[in-house]
Amino acid sequence: MFDYLENLNDAQREAVLRTEGPSLIIAGAGSGKTRVLTYRMVHLLKQGIRPSTILALTFTNKAAREMKERIAGMVGQQLASWLWMGTFHSIFARMLRIEHEATGYPADFTIYDAADSKNLVRTIIKDFGLDDKVYKPGTVSSRISNAKNNLITPGSYAQKPEFRDYDRSIQMPRISEIYKEYHKRCRIAKAYDFDDLLLETNLLFRDHPDILARYQSKFDYVLVDEYQDTNYAQYLIIRNLVANHRNICVVGDDAQSIYAFRGARIENILNFQDDYPDHKVFRLEQNYRSTQTIVNAANSVIAHNKRQLRKAVFSEKETGPKIRLIEALTDGEEGFQVAGIIAETQLRDHYRFSDFAILYRTNAQSRIFEEALRKKNIPYKIYGGLSFYQRKEIKDLLAYFRMVVNPDDNEALKRIINYPPRGIGQTTLSKLEQLSTDNEKSVWEVITAGGDHFQTEFNAGTRSKIAVFSALVNRFREQAKDMGAFELARTIAAETGILKDLYNDKSPEGLSRYKNMEELLNAIQEFTTSAIEEGRESGIGDYLQEVALLTDQDNEKEGDRDKVTLMTVHSAKGLEFRTVFIVGMEKNLFPSVQAGDFLSQEEYEEERRLFYVALTRAQQQVFLSCADQRYRWGKLEYCQPSPFIREIDPRFLEQGTGGKNTFMQRQDPIQNYSRFRAEQELPRNPVSPSLRTNFQRKADQLKTESQEEGYAVSEDLSGYLPGTVVEHQRFGLGKILKVEGVAPDVKATVFFHNAGQKQLLLRFARLRIVK
DNA sequence: TGGGAAGTCTTTTTT
DNA sequence: AGACTTCCCA
């Protein structure tokens, strides 16, 4: 009966079998963590536990779906379909809809996505008469998000000294007011943003102990995947839910925590043992994915991090080839070399294109590799960038749906009130918004209720245009009652003229927009038919609920099978490839170092974990690549290799791959740099090896010359003394308070009048002496 | 009101 | 470089 346990190693089996009480499963990279979670649930089900009492939380829809499929394969579709399995957001959105009476919100609330939130914040900043160069909507929005993730409500925000002080230090003392207003307007629009879904769940539990008690006894078993990526709000929900039975099982790897920038708390996993003293720890340390070389190399890097949970990941696979370093002179050549290696290996060793992945730190880095791959006719697919559901044309049509479900949804209304154009301009919209905020009503209420203000404010022509719009929306709302999602979608697309509009646009972008619209309609049709077949609701509201929490990576396209994968390291998490290229391995591409700031210890360790994640994606072989020079934002930039390369135990790194005078062998890559820079710009795409050698020789010659002249960067820094008035490109005027360190690592503490105190690395800082 | 010129800014990303 | 916003003028 339990023969599936044969498929597990000892550590995995123990973790599966201990179903009662708190369990912490520390799962190293490639150690079969999904398998353990899956089997654990199967094991519970086989013992006769009812599936509806099991709650399993993941971070992505994809992870949830895959796990559900695997479970269904072992215990049958029927049983698996009763499991409460999904992302934090989708599960608790569902709960908030069910418990809507207690929250005072309708069940068909809208979910604002990141763009909607940001737009709303932008509007509020304008309404407050604040300068949006100082109050950047993105920053304010992320401050609000940050507060919500830490369960700071709009009412309590102003009392929190840590938030208040920080807001002051970034010159935005009024964020707390913006937060309050933002919250108010979300309520009027009957909308939750992503963070609200977690915050409101917490408030629901806090204010309604009876409801909490009901869910506590409903879910006998709670499992959490990727626990190292949970934020405080998520942590607290879990803690509350399992407070009675404490049947909690969390799986994670602190070494792969790479989402601190969006509120993930690595402490959650580090402190699990204190939170649940009666816990048991399971360590999954055998890596089934990568060669010994890769596992050992990755271990040698991560060992530099101070805070981590004890574990010793090992591999029993073959030793495998060493990690190779590609040292290119320019970014163009870097792409050229990577593409060359892919083409060669694919031919020689019969690799498939899908065996390769090119991983980079930022999406913008993909271009150079696209070009190189295209030139060599290598098929590739790119992840990232704008997702399908964030495209304008898609959001426009979905905005009509949102209006049908919840006409108070102001952000949706703003999107479509004049799309397609019906003569309602910015002036009219601003007035409407003004009326809406003054009366604390949604724009929809304002235009449908009429009222005196409405009459006096607008002339007859404008009023009739608005009436046409509201009649249109009302007609759709009426039709929605007896139409499925697909039928309604088609009606809307046709009757509003959106479809015709897109069809008539014959530009390349227009064509792709039209295609996207077709794709959306297909997706809705598919949703409707499968919903009907499976006996689920197929209305527009149900579709929206599904789509609001969906992402692009959820729909893999056909024909993407045998292609090289290009993606950021972040999105590669959870995936694996035979050969991995980690490209752009330069110090310069570390975000903050670029601006001349220092990374904090925590940030630096997170960068290292990012590198760890990248390394452990590979089964067979890792290539690292860096370039001497690259273009960024249209300007030439001179690069140094990432310090993390040096942290790899040299036993696992192929030595001397790049010739004599390469980055790694330069004694001090910093020295002489500015001289070297100014005089030698290499062509972006060196083609022949002889040409390359030529440039290499020239570059080396220059380097030697400038060395002989005794030119050093430190001389340049001599004027930067305490008291000096300097101007920073971004922070403006400031005064140097303190200078410390030995050249070239000279660190200066500068007080900027507009930006507060900063620590800058002088050799990077865009700083100029004023006086 | 809309189009073109000029200015601004630039991490990572899930929900 | 490229996406995005803002400004200004017809």
Side-chain angles (χ1 to χ4, degrees):
Chain A
M1 179 180 174
F2 294 129
D3 51 350
Y4 51 90
L5 294 173
E6 308 278 311
N7 297 333
L8 302 170
N9 69 27
D10 292 346
Q12 291 173 333
R13 193 176 313 113
E14 279 176 38
V16 165
L17 291 177
R18 205 255 188 178
T19 55
E20 312 298 308
S23 304
L24 167 62
I25 303 176
I26 303 170
S31 63
K33 134 189 107 104
T34 312
R35 164 173 290 228
V36 167
L37 266 180
T38 315
Y39 279 54
R40 201 178 156 97
M41 278 183 266
V42 168
H43 186 64
L44 285 169
L45 294 174
K46 293 257 180 183
Q47 287 178 314
I49 305 290
R50 282 183 301 126
S52 60
T53 65
I54 301 174
L55 172 66
L57 297 164
T58 62
F59 272 80
T60 61
N61 294 301
K62 199 168 149 218
R65 185 156 14 88
E66 279 174 10
M67 225 182 306
K68 207 160 191 168
E69 271 164 23
R70 282 166 75 165
I71 294 173
M74 294 173 76
V75 299
Q77 190 73 51
Q78 187 62 36
L79 210 53
S81 70
W82 285 99
L83 288 166
W84 278 69
M85 182 167 350
T87 62
F88 275 90
H89 291 82
S90 67
I91 292 283
F92 295 114
R94 189 167 151 193
M95 186 180 290
L96 286 168
R97 288 187 208 279
I98 294 173
E99 307 298 337
H100 73 274
E101 281 176 7
T103 63
Y105 235 43
D108 49 12
F109 57 79
T110 294
I111 297 174
Y112 274 176
D113 69 11
D116 295 322
S117 315
K118 207 167 146 187
N119 279 335
L120 179 51
V121 167
R122 183 178 291 122
T123 313
I124 295 170
I125 290 171
K126 283 218 183 92
D127 289 354
F128 278 16
L130 297 169
D131 181 356
D132 64 0
K133 292 208 178 66
V134 179
Y135 285 82
K136 292 197 192 106
T139 314
V140 176
S141 169
S142 78
R143 291 291 294 154
I144 293 174
S145 167
N146 187 250
K148 287 184 178 177
N149 287 334
N150 288 296
L151 301 186
I152 315 283
T153 55
S156 59
Y157 188 95
Q159 272 84 58
K160 299 283 171 188
E162 65 272 28
F163 280 82
R164 200 185 49 213
D165 293 348
Y166 183 81
D167 288 351
R168 272 191 202 147
S169 80
I170 57 171
Q171 312 296 308
M172 300 190 216
R174 294 183 69 188
I175 287 182
S176 83
E177 293 165 58
I178 299 174
Y179 182 17
K180 266 192 190 145
E181 184 64 22
Y182 173 83
H183 184 256
K184 197 163 110 193
R185 293 197 195 178
C186 281
R187 300 305 101 159
I188 291 169
K190 301 188 181 117
Y192 282 141
D193 66 19
F194 286 137
D195 305 308
D196 279 331
L197 297 174
L198 305 175
L199 173 63
E200 294 295 329
T201 301
N202 271 299
L203 297 182
L204 179 74
F205 286 165
R206 188 194 66 188
D207 299 335
H208 299 270
D210 52 318
I211 293 177
L212 172 60
R214 216 166 65 230
Y215 283 98
Q216 280 173 336
S217 53
K218 173 173 175 50
F219 297 125
D220 291 327
Y221 298 91
V222 177
L223 297 93
V224 186
D225 192 13
E226 306 277 15
Y227 192 64
Q228 77 280 357
D229 287 336
T230 48
N231 61 33
Y232 183 62
Q234 291 163 328
Y235 160 82
L236 212 61
I237 291 175
I238 301 163
R239 208 180 71 183
N240 278 323
L241 276 179
V242 303
N244 290 339
H245 53 66
R246 302 165 76 78
N247 288 331
I248 173 160
C249 169
V250 305
V251 187
D253 181 5
D254 55 307
Q256 294 185 65
S257 161
I258 53 175
Y259 285 113
F261 69 89
R262 63 168 207 234
R265 290 193 177 197
I266 194 171
E267 296 82 26
N268 289 349
I269 194 164
L270 297 176
N271 298 340
F272 184 85
Q273 320 204 23
D274 302 328
D275 287 337
Y276 302 92
D278 51 333
H279 72 282
K280 199 151 177 349
V281 182
F282 302 92
R283 290 191 170 79
L284 308 182
E285 296 175 312
Q286 179 164 6
N287 175 310
Y288 292 97
R289 178 187 298 153
S290 317
T291 63
Q292 294 189 24
T293 302
I294 293 168
V295 169
N296 291 336
N299 283 343
S300 69
V301 170
I302 204 71
H304 289 82
N305 273 5
K306 291 215 173 62
R307 262 188 338 160
Q308 48 186 319
L309 295 170
R310 182 179 63 77
K311 65 179 162 306
V313 181
F314 66 96
S315 164
E316 286 182 354
K317 295 183 72 170
E318 73 274 20
T319 315
K322 289 184 179 178
I323 291 176
R324 278 177 60 191
L325 188 61
I326 302 167
E327 294 169 88
L329 290 171
T330 64
D331 51 3
E333 202 208 318
E334 184 189 14
F336 183 83
Q337 287 206 44
V338 168
I341 293 173
I342 291 177
E344 197 191 311
T345 327
Q346 189 260 345
L347 269 177
R348 195 190 54 213
D349 302 334
H350 308 293
Y351 275 43
R352 296 163 56 83
F353 288 121
S354 54
D355 286 330
F356 301 94
I358 299 176
L359 306 183
Y360 33 79
R361 176 66 218 261
T362 69
N363 280 314
Q365 286 169 264
S366 68
R367 222 200 59 222
I368 207 87
F369 296 95
E370 283 178 73
E371 277 170 22
L373 293 169
R374 247 200 318 266
K375 269 186 203 149
K376 285 209 191 305
N377 281 324
I378 299 172
Y380 63 88
K381 57 183 166 189
I382 297 187
Y383 292 83
L386 211 51
S387 88
F388 184 71
Y389 291 102
Q390 287 167 1
R391 301 214 166 101
K392 185 187 172 302
E393 61 276 15
I394 303 303
K395 284 204 80 172
D396 286 339
L397 190 68
L398 290 179
Y400 276 97
F401 296 175
R402 283 163 59 177
M403 285 299 287
V404 167
V405 174
N406 170 17
D408 293 319
D409 182 340
N410 276 343
E411 294 303 311
L413 182 138
K414 268 159 64 179
R415 215 162 227 291
I416 56 168
I417 191 165
N418 198 33
Y419 179 80
R422 46 177 75 88
I424 303 176
Q426 190 54 51
T427 323
T428 309
L429 185 56
S430 303
K431 276 191 205 165
L432 283 173
E433 285 196 274
Q434 190 61 51
L435 281 174
S436 142
T437 36
D438 289 351
N439 299 308
E440 305 199 351
K441 282 187 175 135
S442 70
V443 176
W444 178 253
E445 278 180 282
V446 172
I447 60 179
T448 48
D452 295 346
H453 289 300
F454 188 69
Q455 298 292 331
T456 50
E457 199 77 38
F458 300 102
N459 61 40
T462 311
R463 282 209 304 275
S464 81
K465 283 175 192 159
I466 293 173
V468 168
F469 171 71
S470 59
L472 185 74
V473 172
N474 271 328
R475 194 162 76 244
F476 292 146
R477 281 169 64 74
E478 202 54 45
Q479 286 170 321
K481 285 178 189 158
D482 39 38
M483 268 188 191
F486 176 61
E487 216 179 329
L488 184 67
R490 219 175 32 186
T491 312
I492 291 177
E495 285 193 21
T496 55
I498 291 181
L499 209 54
K500 210 169 71 196
D501 215 46
L502 294 178
Y503 184 77
N504 289 336
D505 185 351
K506 294 296 179 197
S507 66
E509 300 84 33
L511 282 176
S512 105
R513 273 190 232 120
Y514 184 74
K515 256 175 59 197
N516 286 335
M517 187 57 70
E518 276 184 326
E519 202 178 313
L520 177 67
L521 290 174
N522 284 341
I524 297 171
Q525 181 166 38
E526 207 183 300
F527 168 83
T528 316
T529 38
S530 65
I532 291 170
E533 276 169 16
E534 290 161 30
R536 283 182 283 121
E537 293 291 315
S538 66
I540 204 93
D542 306 283
Y543 176 73
L544 270 189
Q545 284 179 33
E546 182 162 300
V547 132
L549 298 170
L550 207 66
T551 51
D552 207 31
Q553 300 201 348
D554 293 325
N555 39 8
E556 181 102 2
K557 284 200 202 76
E558 296 288 318
D560 269 359
R561 288 177 319 276
D562 193 22
K563 291 184 177 174
V564 175
T565 301
L566 274 72
M567 54 168 58
T568 61
V569 180
H570 280 94
S571 39
K573 198 162 170 209
L575 304 176
E576 58 182 44
F577 305 90
R578 200 157 161 192
T579 297
V580 168
F581 295 86
I582 308 174
V583 300
M585 280 297 300
E586 294 119 35
K587 216 172 187 174
N588 307 48
L589 292 173
F590 281 40
S592 323
V593 170
Q594 177 60 32
D597 306 332
F598 279 95
L599 293 179
S600 68
Q601 180 73 22
E602 286 76 33
E603 286 169 319
Y604 196 73
E605 294 201 345
E606 179 151 323
E607 293 294 327
R608 191 180 276 125
R609 290 195 293 268
L610 202 57
F611 186 38
Y612 177 83
V613 169
L615 286 170
T616 52
R617 295 312 97 198
Q619 300 165 332
Q620 270 284 319
Q621 166 94 70
V622 174
F623 289 90
L624 308 176
S625 77
C626 51
D628 232 331
Q629 305 180 357
R630 66 172 70 246
Y631 283 86
R632 202 146 72 114
W633 306 328
K635 286 211 290 277
L636 188 66
E637 207 165 80
Y638 297 84
C639 313
Q640 314 151 55
S642 159
F644 294 148
I645 300 177
R646 291 178 207 267
E647 290 179 357
I648 300 173
D649 184 326
R651 284 177 296 163
F652 311 119
L653 187 65
E654 187 82 48
Q655 294 301 313
T657 29
K660 263 187 201 158
N661 281 296
T662 54
F663 273 160
M664 298 308 293
Q665 281 148 20
R666 263 177 226 148
Q667 295 297 312
D668 182 353
I670 303 302
Q671 225 178 13
N672 306 312
Y673 234 79
S674 42
R675 174 67 185 276
F676 175 55
R677 290 171 181 191
E679 299 180 27
Q680 189 72 8
E681 180 177 346
L682 301 166
R684 298 195 69 175
N685 295 304
V687 272
S688 72
S690 63
L691 199 62
R692 179 173 195 269
T693 326
N694 229 345
F695 281 115
Q696 178 95 54
R697 196 180 308 127
K698 264 193 185 171
D700 290 338
Q701 190 188 342
L702 249 164
K703 193 187 147 202
T704 330
E705 279 171 16
S706 47
Q707 236 163 14
E708 281 163 4
E709 287 167 27
Y711 184 93
V713 176
S714 55
E715 283 175 18
D716 279 341
L717 305 181
S718 56
Y720 293 85
L721 297 167
T724 313
V725 179
V726 290
E727 185 179 6
H728 187 274
Q729 196 178 332
R730 191 151 55 90
F731 304 133
L733 288 175
K735 200 164 123 186
I736 297 183
L737 302 177
K738 198 168 84 178
V739 180
E740 59 194 334
V742 183
D745 286 305
V746 182
K747 201 196 293 186
T749 311
V750 187
F751 184 84
F752 293 99
H753 304 301
N754 294 323
Q757 192 168 316
K758 304 268 177 195
Q759 284 209 312
L760 305 170
L761 197 51
L762 282 184
R763 93 176 103 101
F764 286 123
R766 288 163 298 180
L767 214 56
R768 156 179 103 72
I769 296 179
V770 175
K771 196 166 70 76

